Amino acid sequence: MKKLIATTALCAALPMGAFAQDKPDSLKVGMTTFLTGPASVFGVPARDAMDIMVQNLNDEGGINGVPVEVSYIDEGAGAEALTSEFRRAVEQGGAEVMFASISSGNCQTLAPLAEDLEVINFMWDCGTQRIFEEADYDYVFRTQANATPEMLAAVIYLLKTQPDFETLAVVNQDYAWGRDSWDIFRTALMQFKPDVEIVGEFFPAFGAPDYSTEISRLQALQPDVVLSTSWGGDLDTFVQQASQRGLMNNSTFVLPLAESSLERLGSALPPGQIVGARGDHYFLHPERRDDEDFKSFMSQYEDQTGNITVYSVFHASQALAALEAAYTKAIEENGVEWPSQEQVLAAMDGLEFQGLGRPVTIREDNQGIEAQLMGTSAQNGDYPFATLENIMIFDGAELTAPVGEVSTDWIETLGPEFVDEIEPTTFEN
Amino acid sequence: MNLTTFLLALFDGVSYAALVFIVALGLTLIFGVMRILNVAHGSLYAIGAYATVSLVGWVLALGAAPILAFPLMIVSAILVGVLIGGPVEYLLLRRIYDKPEVLQLLVTFAVFMILEDVQRLVWGTQPYFEAQALRALGNVTVFGVTYTVYQLILLPLVALTLLVGLRFFLRRTVTGKLITATTEDREAAQSIGIDADRVFLLTFVMGAILAGLGGALASPTTSILPGMGADMIVLSFAVVATAGLGQIEGAAIAALMIGMGRSFAIYIWPEVAVLVPYLIMVLVLLVRPEGLFGSPAARKI
Amino acid sequence: MTEPLLETRDLVIRFGGVTAADHVSLKIEAGRNLAIIGPNGAGKTTFLNICSGWIKPSAGSVHFEGEDITRLPPRKIVTRGVARAFQIPQLFTEHTALENLLIAASARDGLRNPLRSMHGIDARDEMMHLLDMVNCADVADRVVVELSEGERKLIDIAVALALKPRLLLMDEPTSGVASSQKDEIMEILIKALSEANVTSVFVEHDMSIVQTYADEVAVWNAGNVQLRGTPSEVLEHPDVIRDVIGEEIA
Amino acid sequence: MSSVTTTAPATGSSPAALSLLWIAGVVLLAAVPFLAPNLQLLVNFALAKGLAVVGVTVLLRAGQVSFGHALFFGISAYIGAFVMASVPGMDFFGILIAGTLGAALAGLVVGLFVVRYRGIFFGMLNLAFSMIFWSILEKFYHITGGADGIRLTRPTVLGMELGRDAFELFLYYTAIVLVVGLGWFTIRWFASPVGQLFQTIKTNETRLEYLGISPRRAMLSGYLLSAALCGVGGILMATAQGVVTPEYVWWVRSAEMVFIAVLGGAGSVRGAFLGALIYEFVRTYASAYAGDVWQMLLGAFLLVIILFAPGGIIGIFERVFARGKGTS
């Protein structure tokens, strides 16, 4: 213990690293991700993917010859450890860019901290749309979409594929995401199809082990559509219990995060349910699956982890792609060996980069514009789990609230015709 | 609320209560005999579930009949009890019986922390699901609502069997009577030649098996994932404290109250469903400090 | 006749089927130490418990200096001037003997200042004196768990006396003490009581103690006072010799 | 039924050498922002948590263990966040007072119920109250922000708007002042008549009653103090953290406080802070360097302390340094 403190104190006394303009030995990045706790279903795949991608990037010479070095911080260790570690990574670890975080709550904590520490921070996975709607940031960027386009894509896909449903019930996890996402979904649905009756709203506890009672209620209510934005073990349990008890025979399920559960659910997810992916994230992405880089990464990932990818892997790829694109752009624009922080920040303006999905652009309010992929589950025997058919990929720009507008206020200005105005690219599978 | 929905809520309440009771049973047994509130009980529950999923998954992958899942649940529970419960009692708890109860409780808390990481190291962070046992029994439809036979009939039946069996064991068998004698007065029991160390070991292993069995029985109905033990332990605490510590029949009734309270809340006022167990516990303890069936410790001067 | 210090009127208490106090009416005069004797299970301790408020009677009442204290909790009765010592000493076992007395003095004086150490309170000398009175000054700084049963009994009484009561209820002050020490303890005790001007009621089994130290004796049997008088009157009574003393010897 | 190994509640002062050592410790803490600025935030968290642990320690002195004291920690933190949100430009001292008073008031309300209980039931009932509050925080998401909690914007200090660095430095020294002041007060309180009467609950409530004192009233005095201490800790944590979440109230957090109290040396005020510092270091560095097994390391650490050093770290510490009978 004593030794540990002594070492840390010593490290603190050392100078903080080289000047920005000199080419450093490496580009240090700190990434917060869930290594423990329920959300590690996203955090661990993202870390594994990041390791592979960074290795690949460095094998090709890194960014302008500088290798990237990522260190990880566990979001599951609690907020105190997270904030201390975030600071440590920036102030002692010499991290030039931070990727934080998965949890929206952590994003809200860390975004102002990053701003105060004047470190570039990519919100690489958190969904809350509030951050840029409530404050302006100079150092914080989101390299992916927020909850608004994710939910709008789900509503529109539902209305395009099943325009005639009359009743809907919701079963969401009882925490901010479950509530926020329902707020957006409901607001949009009421604008696009005001005659829908919402027959049940259930918010079982986060991590609830059993949904028997909710399922009994749903069977009695017989809604045409059941929405659940749950994820991870909660979604698995809910879908398993619902499918076991035949609830899916009469109701269509809309599951905007089910892409991340496809493999685990196996045969338990019946065909005909609507599946989303928090972006255009799908291991058989119809526009990307024949691309060499996509294919080679997918096989690398499967070799190393034994699993198919989930959306957090795509989000990790976008954060890394944004990093590479920003530095490369800053180097080119300024004709330098290595950019200063101001030059990187300037390059972020309107930056376009491509991870595993469609290209993403950074808008003037630092929000990323990302495409959305929705599909319908099919059990066609190609894999021991459900794959998607009738896939639609939505352009993110139309579905994201305009700069300076609050999402729910903006959605309330939309009318039923909005659904028809949106024209996604459609694929059979 | 009409009669049908009333009955439906009742069914849901009973099936939920059954599972909670099985887990709480082990906790209250250990407390009744050893006066230790075992925080690690939740971990044993989780490991029971993990072990079952692994074992069933492995055996069924070899092509065995799904019905084999049931004996494998019992095997997993016993493995948890003997391989984890046994060493915990023998190596740790045995050293602290003369220590203040807060230290005993913290020892079990430390074991809980260790076992949480053990689960993650062994089974990783991805959820598991293995519902062959549940599917093997099929469904039953009541008032147009489909239930699984497993949850509606099997779980309550197992809970009832355990309740009756444990009562019989404690009151009618020699070993059971040794345990009860040790519970009432440890020193007196030792003075008439009862090996209290063995009784404690046996009790703890039994309690741990019950925790494991709870997990095993829960495994086909839920995702097995990190953190499931921490939630279950709080719920079991609520049941055990509501019942009165060490009260086996009381635990059954408290589990039913909490199960019913929860399911009726979901039908009538879903917002409070999460609060129900704690509200019941607080209300009961405010009226009856020793729990529903606990007896006040007489103070003599 | 002056008002009695303590008076019970028609006290009744039943535990299950047993009547531990059966219409007990008893007056205790100030300045006269009353010993209560009687066979085990006759209800002597129960009587003390009722008078001190630990147990509520089924019927009847208890009056202290004319005030009805029947329904008051023990702590309220204590503040009226009735202190209690116990058969098994009730002390703060992790504190020293002196600290036990200082705590009692703090309770008596209602000290509230959270920044002033209890050891610095004004009553410290008084408490040392009290310890000296019960012959325990030499163990003042020892933690109670380390003391002998006899010392603990004396400190238990000193704690009660520290409250400056007018009436002290004692349950077998000499039980658990080596017989060679009993007289010594009683000597100390009676001297301390008279010095502090405290009346006492004590339950006792040792007839020689009763004979020597009581001003009055009440014989308890089957839930009531069978006989009352001076020690010599009572102890020579044939019924008492048969029912009570006989049993004590047996 | 419950009793805890505490250092003797006697009131003798520590030997001079030991006192000097403690003073040196405080000076060292005060020098952290200059010697090791990267540890400042970590130590700040530890001091805030340490104050709450002192709250738990107070109850341990009466032989009682609360498994729900994170309740007061959290109530104070949420009050701070609500006040900041509803009164823009609120001063730090305003929310410090509001949070502490709120925690004390909650302590009074909950205390009136729980002081009737002892041992395991006391612990469980506290747990139940904290879990009810936790569920409410999660449930009434439109008010409480649910699991994401509420952001607590940086308050002004005596009307001055400070930058993050200046504010954190201010907060750090405020924490040290509060720790020294409240730690000193609690030690004095333990030695005072009220504190001594409170501590007798551990050994003999019957005698307490027969001293003319209501054990419940005595218990309530300590319960209020413990709730207020947790409240001060909570508001310090919330302002240092900049966000409050239901995790502040989660039962594991309460158990952690008891954990630290026993780790440091049950019943010792100085031990509580020492324990909190060591705990926070071990936890942070273990999660940084052994992300997969940090809980296991902490658990093993606790086991070793309980089995081999039941006096806690302060016990080891004083055995090594003290000549004579050093206490609390």
Side-chain angles (χ1 to χ4, degrees):
Chain A
M1 191 62 228
K2 247 184 192 161
K3 199 179 156 199
L4 197 62
I5 298 170
T7 320
T8 324
L10 200 68
C11 294
L14 290 172
M16 294 270 269
F19 293 104
Q21 285 82 354
D22 293 343
K23 216 169 173 176
D25 295 337
S26 65
L27 171 56
K28 291 199 175 73
V29 174
M31 178 173 180
T32 74
T33 182
F34 277 95
L35 301 177
T36 59
S40 52
V41 295
F42 304 130
V44 171
R47 179 196 60 185
D48 295 346
M50 186 60 88
D51 279 338
I52 298 170
M53 293 181 296
V54 167
Q55 187 62 49
N56 291 348
L57 177 69
N58 291 343
D59 286 348
E60 289 163 14
I63 300 173
N64 198 25
V66 176
V68 175
E69 203 180 301
V70 182
S71 57
Y72 301 96
I73 299 171
D74 181 12
E75 285 184 47
E80 295 103 285
L82 180 64
T83 25
S84 321
E85 280 303 291
F86 187 96
R87 287 193 79 129
R88 204 173 61 90
V90 175
E91 292 176 343
Q92 275 74 52
E96 282 183 45
V97 177
M98 296 298 290
F99 297 168
S101 58
I102 290 181
S103 144
S104 288
N106 289 339
C107 267
Q108 289 187 342
T109 314
L110 296 177
L113 178 63
E115 196 76 0
D116 286 342
L117 296 177
E118 300 185 350
V119 63
I120 296 171
N121 185 43
F122 292 169
M123 298 195 294
W124 68 274
D125 190 61
C126 58
T128 178
Q129 75 284 2
R130 296 175 182 215
I131 291 184
F132 293 135
E133 291 179 2
E134 287 172 358
D136 287 331
Y137 289 93
D138 295 327
Y139 292 87
V140 181
F141 304 86
R142 193 200 294 271
T143 52
Q144 33 106 21
N146 61 40
T148 305
E150 291 165 16
M151 286 303 113
L152 281 181
V155 179
I156 294 170
Y157 186 89
L158 172 66
L159 291 172
K160 281 186 183 293
T161 53
Q162 309 212 8
D164 299 326
F165 73 96
E166 288 166 3
T167 52
L168 180 142
V170 59
V171 182
N172 273 6
Q173 287 153 312
D174 189 15
Y175 81 113
W177 164 252
R179 300 283 185 165
D180 273 344
S181 56
W182 171 235
D183 267 358
I184 299 171
F185 191 98
R186 189 198 49 219
T187 311
L189 187 62
M190 287 299 125
Q191 295 301 120
F192 302 154
K193 191 174 165 62
D195 57 337
V196 170
E197 190 191 349
I198 290 161
V199 293
E201 293 183 49
F202 302 99
F203 289 90
F206 186 88
D210 180 55
Y211 299 88
S212 301
T213 317
E214 285 84 356
I215 289 168
S216 298
R217 278 295 276 147
L218 290 173
Q219 291 205 351
L221 293 167
Q222 300 206 327
D224 297 332
V225 174
V226 174
L227 167 73
S228 178
T229 65
S230 305
W231 49 264
D234 291 11
L235 178 65
D236 299 2
T237 304
F238 179 57
V239 170
Q240 294 263 9
Q241 292 186 344
S243 88
Q244 175 66 33
R245 290 176 59 184
L247 185 56
M248 287 162 164
N249 298 340
N250 300 321
S251 306
T252 300
F253 275 51
V254 177
L255 307 167
L257 268 72
E259 176 265 351
S260 57
S261 283
L262 287 177
E263 190 178 16
R264 286 194 308 273
L265 281 169
S267 58
L269 180 65
Q273 316 305 320
I274 295 173
V275 172
R278 289 202 62 208
D280 58 332
H281 311 318
Y282 180 41
F283 81 114
L284 297 172
H285 193 297
E287 291 170 349
R288 297 276 282 130
R289 63 188 164 210
D290 297 325
D291 294 355
E292 252 343 286
D293 60 330
F294 189 88
K295 278 197 322 207
S296 82
F297 173 79
M298 288 297 159
S299 65
Q300 255 186 314
Y301 183 84
E302 204 174 331
D303 285 350
Q304 296 210 2
T305 65
N307 296 103
I308 63 161
T309 57
V310 296
Y311 71 72
S312 63
V313 167
F314 285 73
H315 280 163
S317 78
Q318 289 165 355
L320 187 65
L323 180 82
E324 191 186 355
Y327 272 78
T328 310
K329 185 176 165 196
I331 290 167
E332 280 170 10
E333 279 178 354
N334 298 290
V336 290
E337 276 291 287
W338 196 249
S340 68
Q341 194 189 43
E342 295 80 55
Q343 290 164 343
V344 178
L345 282 172
M348 286 307 295
D349 192 23
L351 186 74
E352 181 173 316
F353 52 91
Q354 183 168 25
L356 292 164
R358 277 189 185 176
V360 178
T361 47
I362 298 288
R363 217 164 56 164
E364 59 183 287
D365 63 347
N366 296 359
Q367 169 65 49
I369 298 297
E370 182 190 41
Q372 298 292 326
L373 180 149
M374 299 291 303
T376 302
S377 62
Q379 294 278 1
N380 56 17
D382 294 347
Y383 293 89
F385 49 85
T387 49
L388 303 184
E389 59 181 19
N390 193 20
I391 292 172
M392 294 182 192
I393 297 180
F394 296 82
D395 181 10
E398 302 161 318
L399 301 183
T400 311
V403 176
E405 291 205 38
V406 174
S407 289
T408 41
D409 297 346
W410 170 68
I411 294 171
E412 280 170 4
T413 65
L414 307 176
E417 70 288 350
F418 186 77
V419 176
D420 299 325
E421 287 166 11
I422 300 292
E423 286 172 0
T425 323
T426 311
F427 305 85
E428 266 175 33
N429 61 55
Chain B
M1 164 170 254
N2 58 32
L3 185 66
T4 312
T5 47
F6 177 84
L7 286 173
L8 291 179
L10 197 73
F11 296 153
D12 288 318
V14 169
S15 94
Y16 183 74
L19 201 58
V20 174
F21 168 71
I22 295 168
V23 183
L25 188 60
L27 191 69
T28 204
L29 175 71
I30 291 174
F31 186 86
V33 177
M34 303 164 74
R35 303 275 124 189
I36 284 184
L37 202 54
N38 180 22
V39 181
H41 203 72
S43 308
L44 298 172
Y45 161 83
I47 294 175
Y50 273 119
T52 306
V53 167
S54 298
L55 214 56
V56 170
W58 178 60
V59 170
L60 294 192
L62 297 177
I67 205 77
L68 217 60
F70 294 100
L72 287 176
M73 287 181 185
I74 297 171
V75 171
S76 312
I78 292 173
L79 285 178
V80 168
V82 174
L83 295 183
I84 301 174
V88 166
E89 199 283 339
Y90 195 79
L91 299 175
L92 291 174
L93 298 181
R94 188 158 290 191
R95 297 157 168 264
I96 52 145
Y97 288 131
D98 52 342
K99 296 269 174 69
E101 71 181 1
V102 60
L103 292 187
Q104 300 180 350
L105 218 148
L106 279 175
V107 165
T108 65
F109 182 68
V111 174
F112 162 80
M113 294 179 86
I114 293 172
L115 290 181
E116 287 296 291
D117 271 355
V118 167
Q119 288 165 46
R120 220 176 35 244
L121 290 176
V122 176
W123 285 282
T125 53
Q126 299 295 313
Y128 284 76
F129 211 102
E130 177 50 70
Q132 294 279 11
L134 184 116
R135 288 193 202 114
L137 294 184
N139 289 353
V140 56
T141 304
V142 193
F143 302 122
V145 171
T146 310
Y147 286 94
T148 61
V149 171
Y150 185 88
Q151 282 173 293
L152 189 65
I153 298 169
L154 182 77
L155 287 182
L157 224 54
V158 172
L160 203 65
T161 311
L162 285 173
L163 173 63
V164 174
L166 198 63
R167 266 186 72 135
F168 178 83
F169 170 73
L170 289 177
R171 305 220 172 127
R172 296 274 183 277
T173 66
V174 178
T175 320
K177 284 181 178 167
L178 291 182
I179 292 179
T180 351
T182 314
T183 310
E184 273 152 25
D185 190 339
R186 187 176 181 194
E187 276 161 24
Q190 273 172 315
S191 71
I192 58 164
I194 296 178
D195 184 348
D197 283 352
R198 275 190 56 200
V199 168
F200 275 30
L201 180 61
L202 180 72
T203 309
F204 196 82
V205 169
M206 276 177 57
I209 289 176
L210 285 169
L213 189 62
L217 287 167
S219 69
T221 69
T222 184
S223 290
I224 319 300
L225 71 174
M228 67 185 289
D231 292 325
M232 193 42 130
I233 190 66
V234 188
L235 195 60
S236 318
F237 276 159
V239 168
V240 167
T242 308
L245 292 162
Q247 300 294 317
I248 289 171
E249 294 87 350
I253 293 179
L256 273 176
M257 281 171 61
I258 286 176
M260 296 292 175
R262 181 179 165 279
S263 72
F264 278 93
I266 291 175
Y267 276 80
I268 301 164
W269 189 16
E271 291 298 309
V272 299
V274 181
L275 282 171
V276 162
Y278 311 114
L279 281 179
I280 290 181
M281 174 181 171
V282 166
L283 291 178
V284 166
L285 289 188
L286 288 180
V287 181
R288 280 191 62 90
E290 294 77 25
L292 284 177
F293 303 93
S295 50
R299 253 201 305 170
K300 282 189 178 159
I301 56 171
Chain C
M1 189 180 153
T2 55
E3 189 177 52
L5 194 59
L6 187 86
E7 182 184 3
T8 67
R9 293 177 195 158
D10 244 5
L11 278 185
V12 179
I13 188 154
R14 296 186 189 88
F15 298 119
V18 185
T19 305
D22 189 4
H23 299 282
V24 180
S25 293
L26 191 73
K27 289 180 180 175
I28 292 156
E29 309 296 335
R32 292 175 66 79
N33 296 321
L34 174 70
I36 299 178
I37 64 171
N40 284 328
K44 302 185 299 288
T45 299
T46 303
F47 178 70
L48 294 189
N49 282 342
I50 294 175
C51 291
S52 66
W54 194 256
I55 298 176
K56 302 299 167 210
S58 317
S61 59
V62 185
H63 301 260
F64 180 69
E65 293 178 334
E67 184 191 2
D68 186 348
I69 58 166
T70 323
R71 298 285 147 191
L72 295 180
R75 61 176 185 279
K76 293 273 168 60
I77 295 177
V78 169
T79 55
R80 303 282 191 287
V82 182
R84 172 93 196 259
F86 299 84
Q87 185 182 2
I88 303 157
Q90 299 289 325
L91 294 168
F92 306 125
T93 48
E94 290 184 2
H95 285 80
T96 67
L98 176 61
E99 282 166 350
N100 268 273
L101 267 79
L102 291 173
I103 290 170
S106 311
R108 177 193 72 192
D109 298 340
L111 299 172
R112 287 279 174 269
N113 185 350
L115 293 180
R116 187 162 177 204
S117 167
M118 185 184 69
H119 279 263
I121 64 177
D122 303 336
R124 190 187 159 96
D125 290 344
E126 181 195 338
M127 294 302 121
M128 274 310 290
H129 176 66
L130 210 51
L131 273 181
D132 197 34
M133 261 166 56
V134 296
N135 239 7
C136 286
D138 53 330
V139 296
D141 289 326
R142 291 194 36 211
V143 176
V144 165
V145 271
E146 299 170 358
L147 302 180
S148 72
E149 182 73 5
E151 287 164 330
R152 274 188 269 177
K153 290 216 81 137
L154 285 170
I155 292 163
D156 189 55
I157 292 163
V159 166
L161 287 176
L163 300 171
K164 288 196 180 156
R166 286 187 293 289
L167 179 66
L168 175 61
L169 307 173
M170 290 185 286
D171 200 353
E172 306 200 27
T174 66
S175 74
V177 176
S179 49
S180 57
Q181 286 184 328
K182 285 189 175 182
D183 275 302
E184 189 190 336
I185 287 179
M186 285 309 290
E187 285 290 348
I188 294 167
L189 191 58
I190 295 296
K191 189 164 150 268
L193 285 175
S194 68
E195 204 173 307
N197 199 17
V198 178
T199 308
S200 76
V201 174
F202 62 100
V203 170
E204 188 52 73
H205 280 167
D206 188 319
M207 288 310 140
S208 68
I209 299 278
V210 173
Q211 183 98 51
T212 320
Y213 301 103
D215 299 317
E216 251 191 303
V217 180
V219 181
W220 205 279
N221 208 350
N224 211 333
V225 180
Q226 197 181 4
L227 193 67
R228 185 169 173 176
T230 63
S232 50
E233 277 167 19
V234 169
L235 296 178
E236 282 157 21
H237 196 282
D239 288 355
V240 174
I241 293 171
R242 192 190 62 236
D243 294 348
V244 181
I245 303 178
E247 183 180 286
E248 289 299 318
I249 292 161
Chain D
M1 58 191 281
S2 154
S3 78
V4 177
T5 323
T6 54
T7 39
T11 54
S13 57
S14 307
L18 199 59
S19 302
L20 275 178
L21 210 66
W22 285 114
I23 292 168
V26 173
V27 171
L28 198 67
L29 278 186
V32 162
F34 305 101
L35 296 180
N38 54 314
L39 295 182
Q40 184 190 319
L41 192 66
L42 190 65
V43 175
N44 203 342
F45 289 154
L47 294 178
K49 214 175 257 184
L51 276 169
V53 176
V54 174
V56 171
T57 297
V58 167
L59 294 177
L60 284 176
R61 281 293 190 99
Q64 304 306 317
V65 187
S66 165
F67 278 93
H69 253 50
L71 173 67
F72 306 112
F73 193 74
I75 280 183
S76 156
Y78 268 89
I79 287 178
F82 280 128
V83 171
M84 278 315 296
S86 48
V87 188
M90 188 69 190
D91 201 75
F92 170 77
F93 291 98
I95 58 169
L96 177 67
I97 291 165
T100 310
L101 284 182
L105 193 69
L108 182 67
V109 173
V110 176
L112 283 172
F113 287 112
V114 299
V115 294
R116 293 189 281 157
Y117 302 84
R118 299 292 178 268
I120 220 86
F121 285 99
F122 177 80
M124 299 304 294
L125 207 55
N126 275 290
L127 173 76
F129 275 109
S130 74
M131 289 305 288
I132 286 179
F133 186 61
W134 180 79
S135 309
I136 289 174
L137 289 179
E138 294 260 337
K139 204 85 221 178
F140 294 93
Y141 135 95
H142 290 287
I143 305 164
T144 62
D148 284 351
I150 311 177
R151 251 184 69 61
L152 194 150
T153 46
R154 203 177 303 144
T156 58
V157 175
L158 299 173
M160 290 176 290
E161 299 228 10
L162 300 180
R164 181 180 285 265
D165 286 342
F167 181 76
E168 283 186 349
L169 205 63
F170 159 78
L171 200 61
Y172 184 79
Y173 285 108
T174 309
I176 289 186
V177 169
L178 284 171
V179 159
V180 172
L182 291 173
W184 176 80
F185 174 83
T186 309
I187 291 172
R188 293 303 298 250
W189 186 82
F190 281 151
S192 80
V194 192
Q196 288 285 311
L197 284 169
F198 166 73
Q199 289 167 78
T200 60
I201 287 167
K202 183 180 171 188
T203 48
N204 203 322
E205 284 187 48
T206 304
R207 174 48 88 190
L208 190 57
E209 178 87 27
Y210 275 105
L211 292 180
I213 299 288
S214 157
R216 288 181 191 173
R217 174 94 54 95
M219 188 72 190
L220 191 60
S221 68
Y223 198 84
L224 273 176
L225 175 63
S226 80
L229 285 166
C230 285
V232 178
I235 201 82
L236 280 179
M237 181 64 95
T239 39
Q241 189 82 264
V243 67
V244 293
T245 61
E247 201 230 315
Y248 274 56
V249 196
W250 178 234
W251 72 269
V252 175
R253 184 70 82 128
S254 297
E256 187 184 271
M257 291 178 185
V258 179
F259 179 133
I260 298 173
V262 170
L263 183 76
S268 162
V269 172
R270 297 178 181 95
F273 292 114
L274 202 58
L277 276 170
I278 290 173
Y279 177 87
E280 212 58 21
F281 275 107
V282 173
R283 186 185 155 124
T284 304
Y285 287 96
S287 71
Y289 294 110
D292 289 329
V293 293
W294 63 267
Q295 282 201 78
M296 190 185 280
L297 290 176
L298 274 180
F301 187 30
L302 182 65
L303 279 183
V304 168
I305 290 286
I306 292 177
L307 293 179
F308 302 110
I313 291 164
I314 197 87
I316 304 171
F317 187 78
E318 290 189 339
R319 221 178 307 151
V320 173
F321 288 97
R323 301 276 179 270
K325 59 157 208 174
T327 51
S328 67

